[in-house]
PDB file of all heavy atoms in Angstrom:
ATOM      1  N   ALA L 172       9.932 -49.576 -56.233  1.00  0.00           N
ATOM      2  CA  ALA L 172      11.031 -48.612 -56.220  1.00  0.00           C
ATOM      3  C   ALA L 172      10.901 -47.656 -55.039  1.00  0.00           C
ATOM      4  O   ALA L 172      11.879 -47.360 -54.343  1.00  0.00           O
ATOM      5  CB  ALA L 172      11.061 -47.836 -57.530  1.00  0.00           C
ATOM      6  N   LEU L 173       9.692 -47.178 -54.810  1.00  0.00           N
ATOM      7  CA  LEU L 173       9.470 -46.239 -53.710  1.00  0.00           C
ATOM      8  C   LEU L 173       9.626 -46.929 -52.358  1.00  0.00           C
ATOM      9  O   LEU L 173      10.158 -46.341 -51.409  1.00  0.00           O
ATOM     10  CB  LEU L 173       8.093 -45.594 -53.841  1.00  0.00           C
ATOM     11  CG  LEU L 173       7.895 -44.747 -55.112  1.00  0.00           C
ATOM     12  CD1 LEU L 173       6.472 -44.225 -55.190  1.00  0.00           C
ATOM     13  CD2 LEU L 173       8.887 -43.594 -55.155  1.00  0.00           C
ATOM     14  N   SER L 174       9.175 -48.183 -52.264  1.00  0.00           N
ATOM     15  CA  SER L 174       9.380 -48.937 -51.023  1.00  0.00           C
ATOM     16  C   SER L 174      10.865 -49.159 -50.760  1.00  0.00           C
ATOM     17  O   SER L 174      11.327 -49.098 -49.618  1.00  0.00           O
ATOM     18  CB  SER L 174       8.673 -50.291 -51.100  1.00  0.00           C
ATOM     19  OG  SER L 174       7.273 -50.140 -51.142  1.00  0.00           O
ATOM     20  N   ALA L 175      11.611 -49.420 -51.840  1.00  0.00           N
ATOM     21  CA  ALA L 175      13.036 -49.697 -51.698  1.00  0.00           C
ATOM     22  C   ALA L 175      13.797 -48.514 -51.114  1.00  0.00           C
ATOM     23  O   ALA L 175      14.779 -48.695 -50.390  1.00  0.00           O
ATOM     24  CB  ALA L 175      13.634 -50.082 -53.044  1.00  0.00           C
ATOM     25  N   VAL L 176      13.359 -47.289 -51.423  1.00  0.00           N
ATOM     26  CA  VAL L 176      14.078 -46.096 -50.938  1.00  0.00           C
ATOM     27  C   VAL L 176      13.372 -45.453 -49.750  1.00  0.00           C
ATOM     28  O   VAL L 176      13.644 -44.312 -49.404  1.00  0.00           O
ATOM     29  CB  VAL L 176      14.267 -45.062 -52.071  1.00  0.00           C
ATOM     30  CG1 VAL L 176      15.118 -45.646 -53.182  1.00  0.00           C
ATOM     31  CG2 VAL L 176      12.921 -44.577 -52.617  1.00  0.00           C
ATOM     32  N   THR L 177      12.472 -46.202 -49.127  1.00  0.00           N
ATOM     33  CA  THR L 177      11.762 -45.709 -47.937  1.00  0.00           C
ATOM     34  C   THR L 177      12.354 -46.342 -46.681  1.00  0.00           C
ATOM     35  O   THR L 177      12.539 -47.553 -46.615  1.00  0.00           O
ATOM     36  CB  THR L 177      10.267 -46.029 -48.017  1.00  0.00           C
ATOM     37  OG1 THR L 177       9.689 -45.344 -49.130  1.00  0.00           O
ATOM     38  CG2 THR L 177       9.547 -45.597 -46.742  1.00  0.00           C
ATOM     39  N   TYR L 178      12.646 -45.505 -45.706  1.00  0.00           N
ATOM     40  CA  TYR L 178      13.128 -45.991 -44.418  1.00  0.00           C
ATOM     41  C   TYR L 178      12.409 -45.221 -43.320  1.00  0.00           C
ATOM     42  O   TYR L 178      12.411 -43.989 -43.316  1.00  0.00           O
ATOM     43  CB  TYR L 178      14.648 -45.808 -44.282  1.00  0.00           C
ATOM     44  CG  TYR L 178      15.174 -46.230 -42.930  1.00  0.00           C
ATOM     45  CD1 TYR L 178      15.116 -47.566 -42.539  1.00  0.00           C
ATOM     46  CD2 TYR L 178      15.701 -45.299 -42.045  1.00  0.00           C
ATOM     47  CE1 TYR L 178      15.576 -47.960 -41.287  1.00  0.00           C
ATOM     48  CE2 TYR L 178      16.177 -45.683 -40.788  1.00  0.00           C
ATOM     49  CZ  TYR L 178      16.101 -47.023 -40.414  1.00  0.00           C
ATOM     50  OH  TYR L 178      16.546 -47.418 -39.176  1.00  0.00           O
ATOM     51  N   GLN L 179      11.768 -45.973 -42.412  1.00  0.00           N
ATOM     52  CA  GLN L 179      10.993 -45.365 -41.333  1.00  0.00           C
ATOM     53  C   GLN L 179       9.995 -44.343 -41.883  1.00  0.00           C
ATOM     54  O   GLN L 179       9.879 -43.221 -41.384  1.00  0.00           O
ATOM     55  CB  GLN L 179      11.927 -44.720 -40.305  1.00  0.00           C
ATOM     56  CG  GLN L 179      12.886 -45.691 -39.634  1.00  0.00           C
ATOM     57  CD  GLN L 179      12.167 -46.805 -38.869  1.00  0.00           C
ATOM     58  OE1 GLN L 179      11.278 -46.541 -38.074  1.00  0.00           O
ATOM     59  NE2 GLN L 179      12.544 -48.052 -39.119  1.00  0.00           N
ATOM     60  N   GLU L 180       9.332 -44.765 -42.965  1.00  0.00           N
ATOM     61  CA  GLU L 180       8.258 -44.002 -43.602  1.00  0.00           C
ATOM     62  C   GLU L 180       8.740 -42.701 -44.252  1.00  0.00           C
ATOM     63  O   GLU L 180       7.946 -41.814 -44.551  1.00  0.00           O
ATOM     64  CB  GLU L 180       7.129 -43.702 -42.602  1.00  0.00           C
ATOM     65  CG  GLU L 180       6.510 -44.957 -42.008  1.00  0.00           C
ATOM     66  CD  GLU L 180       5.350 -44.663 -41.086  1.00  0.00           C
ATOM     67  OE1 GLU L 180       5.103 -43.474 -40.791  1.00  0.00           O
ATOM     68  OE2 GLU L 180       4.675 -45.616 -40.664  1.00  0.00           O
ATOM     69  N   LYS L 181      10.036 -42.586 -44.493  1.00  0.00           N
ATOM     70  CA  LYS L 181      10.587 -41.401 -45.154  1.00  0.00           C
ATOM     71  C   LYS L 181      11.371 -41.838 -46.391  1.00  0.00           C
ATOM     72  O   LYS L 181      12.075 -42.853 -46.371  1.00  0.00           O
ATOM     73  CB  LYS L 181      11.507 -40.615 -44.221  1.00  0.00           C
ATOM     74  CG  LYS L 181      10.836 -40.026 -43.002  1.00  0.00           C
ATOM     75  CD  LYS L 181      11.846 -39.246 -42.159  1.00  0.00           C
ATOM     76  CE  LYS L 181      11.189 -38.560 -40.963  1.00  0.00           C
ATOM     77  NZ  LYS L 181      10.667 -39.533 -39.981  1.00  0.00           N
ATOM     78  N   LEU L 182      11.272 -41.061 -47.453  1.00  0.00           N
ATOM     79  CA  LEU L 182      12.075 -41.322 -48.643  1.00  0.00           C
ATOM     80  C   LEU L 182      13.496 -40.859 -48.374  1.00  0.00           C
ATOM     81  O   LEU L 182      13.733 -39.691 -48.052  1.00  0.00           O
ATOM     82  CB  LEU L 182      11.502 -40.573 -49.851  1.00  0.00           C
ATOM     83  CG  LEU L 182      10.135 -41.032 -50.354  1.00  0.00           C
ATOM     84  CD1 LEU L 182       9.594 -40.069 -51.400  1.00  0.00           C
ATOM     85  CD2 LEU L 182      10.219 -42.442 -50.933  1.00  0.00           C
ATOM     86  N   VAL L 183      14.459 -41.777 -48.498  1.00  0.00           N
ATOM     87  CA  VAL L 183      15.845 -41.450 -48.183  1.00  0.00           C
ATOM     88  C   VAL L 183      16.770 -41.634 -49.387  1.00  0.00           C
ATOM     89  O   VAL L 183      17.993 -41.645 -49.249  1.00  0.00           O
ATOM     90  CB  VAL L 183      16.353 -42.291 -46.993  1.00  0.00           C
ATOM     91  CG1 VAL L 183      15.603 -41.929 -45.722  1.00  0.00           C
ATOM     92  CG2 VAL L 183      16.235 -43.786 -47.281  1.00  0.00           C
ATOM     93  N   GLY L 184      16.206 -41.767 -50.559  1.00  0.00           N
ATOM     94  CA  GLY L 184      17.001 -41.905 -51.774  1.00  0.00           C
ATOM     95  C   GLY L 184      16.131 -41.751 -53.002  1.00  0.00           C
ATOM     96  O   GLY L 184      14.894 -41.782 -52.920  1.00  0.00           O
ATOM     97  N   TYR L 185      16.790 -41.592 -54.140  1.00  0.00           N
ATOM     98  CA  TYR L 185      16.102 -41.489 -55.426  1.00  0.00           C
ATOM     99  C   TYR L 185      16.367 -42.775 -56.206  1.00  0.00           C
ATOM    100  O   TYR L 185      17.529 -43.118 -56.450  1.00  0.00           O
ATOM    101  CB  TYR L 185      16.631 -40.306 -56.233  1.00  0.00           C
ATOM    102  CG  TYR L 185      16.401 -38.942 -55.604  1.00  0.00           C
ATOM    103  CD1 TYR L 185      17.245 -38.450 -54.610  1.00  0.00           C
ATOM    104  CD2 TYR L 185      15.342 -38.132 -56.027  1.00  0.00           C
ATOM    105  CE1 TYR L 185      17.049 -37.205 -54.044  1.00  0.00           C
ATOM    106  CE2 TYR L 185      15.134 -36.873 -55.466  1.00  0.00           C
ATOM    107  CZ  TYR L 185      15.992 -36.418 -54.479  1.00  0.00           C
ATOM    108  OH  TYR L 185      15.792 -35.170 -53.929  1.00  0.00           O
ATOM    109  N   PRO L 186      15.332 -43.527 -56.627  1.00  0.00           N
ATOM    110  CA  PRO L 186      15.564 -44.796 -57.342  1.00  0.00           C
ATOM    111  C   PRO L 186      16.246 -44.549 -58.683  1.00  0.00           C
ATOM    112  O   PRO L 186      15.770 -43.748 -59.490  1.00  0.00           O
ATOM    113  CB  PRO L 186      14.152 -45.352 -57.544  1.00  0.00           C
ATOM    114  CG  PRO L 186      13.272 -44.578 -56.599  1.00  0.00           C
ATOM    115  CD  PRO L 186      13.898 -43.230 -56.468  1.00  0.00           C
ATOM    116  N   LEU L 187      17.362 -45.244 -58.924  1.00  0.00           N
ATOM    117  CA  LEU L 187      18.088 -45.061 -60.182  1.00  0.00           C
ATOM    118  C   LEU L 187      17.908 -46.254 -61.119  1.00  0.00           C
ATOM    119  O   LEU L 187      17.365 -46.123 -62.196  1.00  0.00           O
ATOM    120  CB  LEU L 187      19.571 -44.821 -59.890  1.00  0.00           C
ATOM    121  CG  LEU L 187      20.469 -44.554 -61.105  1.00  0.00           C
ATOM    122  CD1 LEU L 187      19.966 -43.364 -61.909  1.00  0.00           C
ATOM    123  CD2 LEU L 187      21.919 -44.350 -60.662  1.00  0.00           C
ATOM    124  N   PHE L 188      18.381 -47.437 -60.702  1.00  0.00           N
ATOM    125  CA  PHE L 188      18.188 -48.623 -61.545  1.00  0.00           C
ATOM    126  C   PHE L 188      17.921 -49.834 -60.669  1.00  0.00           C
ATOM    127  O   PHE L 188      18.114 -49.795 -59.451  1.00  0.00           O
ATOM    128  CB  PHE L 188      19.381 -48.860 -62.475  1.00  0.00           C
ATOM    129  CG  PHE L 188      20.701 -49.062 -61.803  1.00  0.00           C
ATOM    130  CD1 PHE L 188      21.126 -50.326 -61.414  1.00  0.00           C
ATOM    131  CD2 PHE L 188      21.557 -47.989 -61.581  1.00  0.00           C
ATOM    132  CE1 PHE L 188      22.359 -50.526 -60.801  1.00  0.00           C
ATOM    133  CE2 PHE L 188      22.799 -48.178 -60.971  1.00  0.00           C
ATOM    134  CZ  PHE L 188      23.197 -49.432 -60.583  1.00  0.00           C
ATOM    135  N   PHE L 189      17.459 -50.920 -61.279  1.00  0.00           N
ATOM    136  CA  PHE L 189      17.033 -52.088 -60.507  1.00  0.00           C
ATOM    137  C   PHE L 189      17.497 -53.380 -61.150  1.00  0.00           C
ATOM    138  O   PHE L 189      17.923 -53.414 -62.303  1.00  0.00           O
ATOM    139  CB  PHE L 189      15.502 -52.106 -60.392  1.00  0.00           C
ATOM    140  CG  PHE L 189      14.797 -52.461 -61.682  1.00  0.00           C
ATOM    141  CD1 PHE L 189      14.497 -53.783 -62.003  1.00  0.00           C
ATOM    142  CD2 PHE L 189      14.441 -51.472 -62.587  1.00  0.00           C
ATOM    143  CE1 PHE L 189      13.865 -54.113 -63.198  1.00  0.00           C
ATOM    144  CE2 PHE L 189      13.799 -51.787 -63.785  1.00  0.00           C
ATOM    145  CZ  PHE L 189      13.514 -53.108 -64.090  1.00  0.00           C
ATOM    146  N   GLU L 190      17.361 -54.451 -60.383  1.00  0.00           N
ATOM    147  CA  GLU L 190      17.565 -55.807 -60.889  1.00  0.00           C
ATOM    148  C   GLU L 190      16.468 -56.694 -60.344  1.00  0.00           C
ATOM    149  O   GLU L 190      16.090 -56.580 -59.166  1.00  0.00           O
ATOM    150  CB  GLU L 190      18.929 -56.342 -60.461  1.00  0.00           C
ATOM    151  CG  GLU L 190      19.313 -57.649 -61.151  1.00  0.00           C
ATOM    152  CD  GLU L 190      19.359 -57.507 -62.665  1.00  0.00           C
ATOM    153  OE1 GLU L 190      18.275 -57.651 -63.304  1.00  0.00           O
ATOM    154  OE2 GLU L 190      20.438 -57.248 -63.195  1.00  0.00           O
ATOM    155  N   THR L 191      15.911 -57.534 -61.187  1.00  0.00           N
ATOM    156  CA  THR L 191      14.931 -58.532 -60.770  1.00  0.00           C
ATOM    157  C   THR L 191      14.970 -59.675 -61.772  1.00  0.00           C
ATOM    158  O   THR L 191      15.800 -59.677 -62.694  1.00  0.00           O
ATOM    159  CB  THR L 191      13.520 -57.926 -60.646  1.00  0.00           C
ATOM    160  OG1 THR L 191      12.671 -58.835 -59.921  1.00  0.00           O
ATOM    161  CG2 THR L 191      12.898 -57.650 -62.010  1.00  0.00           C
ATOM    162  N   SER L 192      14.107 -60.653 -61.624  1.00  0.00           N
ATOM    163  CA  SER L 192      14.123 -61.814 -62.513  1.00  0.00           C
ATOM    164  C   SER L 192      12.810 -61.948 -63.266  1.00  0.00           C
ATOM    165  O   SER L 192      11.770 -61.451 -62.830  1.00  0.00           O
ATOM    166  CB  SER L 192      14.385 -63.091 -61.710  1.00  0.00           C
ATOM    167  OG  SER L 192      13.421 -63.233 -60.673  1.00  0.00           O
TER     168      SER L 192
END
Side-chain angles (χ1 to χ4, degrees):
L173 297 176
S174 293
V176 297
T177 297
Y178 177 66
Q179 299 300 310
E180 301 183 353
K181 296 181 176 66
L182 293 171
V183 294
Y185 297 81
L187 182 57
F188 59 89
F189 72 90
E190 190 59 275
T191 194
S192 56

